[in-house]
Amino acid sequence: MSKYLFTSERLGFRTWKDADHSELSKINLDENVMEFFPTRLTEEESAQFIFGQQMNFNESGYCYFAVEILESQDLIGFIGISEQLWESDFTPATDIGWRLKATAHGNGYATEGALRCLDYAFNELNLKELIAVAPKVNTPSIKVMKKIGMKFIKEFNHPKLESDERLERCVLYKIENGK
């Protein structure tokens, strides 16, 4: 039996293991990876993230999945879907998101993985739509949103980022299940 829930051409998607803590912690502490976040995450926050994703998967069958390169089985970060409950005029909603270690940037992994997660969300889970949110300055993530077919909905001030002038102004993208 495969350790992966599903795969794409180069990536394997799986649930989180406690052993992933060290590698995820390195990713979450990397200033290049966390450039568009208000702070880097502590080791404890990374451990809490893994626990939360394990709970999300057990409850709903999806989460921000741990992602490995199939050829090397190196954990490169996460790509997946998650319920967003913070207060806005478009939540609650299910979003698609990604965070990859710096050495994985620029290889098309985020786009490839996001497309595979869209397929999983729409064809396996039968979700009706997904959103994606990013600070307006996060052009790499916005490019991925466009490449996977998401449509711009609006700009807004993110309530969780109001203390960070550089990141507060965000964009909302959406994609609907074509079935």
Side-chain angles (χ1 to χ4, degrees):
M1 185 170 109
S2 173
K3 69 176 179 173
Y4 299 115
L5 298 163
F6 52 90
T7 61
S8 64
E9 183 181 339
R10 301 176 293 166
L11 304 172
F13 299 78
R14 61 173 174 76
T15 56
W16 291 91
K17 305 179 287 195
D18 292 339
D20 295 327
H21 173 259
S22 175
E23 192 59 33
L24 181 64
S25 199
K26 288 179 203 168
I27 293 167
N28 286 333
L29 286 168
D30 184 325
E31 63 185 31
N32 294 314
V33 172
M34 301 301 285
E35 176 183 0
F36 301 109
F37 292 86
T39 60
R40 290 179 272 169
L41 301 184
T42 66
E43 289 189 30
E44 178 60 31
E45 289 168 326
S46 290
Q48 290 171 355
F49 174 87
I50 288 174
F51 178 76
Q53 297 312 305
Q54 291 166 330
M55 297 300 294
N56 289 346
F57 183 78
N58 290 339
E59 290 171 11
S60 61
Y62 59 83
C63 66
Y64 292 136
F65 298 105
V67 176
E68 295 180 347
I69 296 174
L70 289 172
E71 188 176 307
S72 63
Q73 298 195 350
D74 287 338
L75 177 68
I76 60 168
F78 66 78
I79 305 171
I81 48 183
S82 182
E83 195 71 24
Q84 297 300 316
L85 303 173
W86 44 273
E87 196 165 322
S88 78
D89 62 354
F90 55 84
T91 56
T94 305
D95 91 328
I96 185 166
W98 42 86
R99 182 177 307 152
L100 301 177
K101 65 182 174 180
T103 57
H105 292 181
N107 295 299
Y109 294 136
T111 301
E112 176 182 329
L115 285 168
R116 183 60 182 93
C117 286
L118 284 178
D119 179 63
Y120 180 76
F122 292 154
N123 296 314
E124 300 293 323
L125 301 172
N126 295 311
L127 297 180
K128 296 193 181 334
E129 68 180 26
L130 292 174
I131 65 161
V133 169
K136 194 174 171 183
V137 295
N138 187 348
T139 54
S141 279
I142 294 167
K143 284 180 185 174
V144 173
M145 294 173 197
K146 291 175 181 177
K147 283 182 184 178
I148 66 173
M150 299 189 93
K151 302 295 181 219
F152 174 81
I153 302 299
K154 68 177 183 174
E155 287 186 22
F156 69 100
N157 288 340
H158 198 304
K160 289 185 164 188
L161 298 172
E162 59 191 16
S163 63
D164 191 319
E165 189 176 295
R166 183 178 75 93
L167 301 176
E168 179 184 24
R169 195 72 181 156
C170 287
V171 293
L172 170 68
Y173 278 70
K174 185 188 325 187
I175 189 167
E176 296 180 357
N177 191 337
K179 280 190 185 179

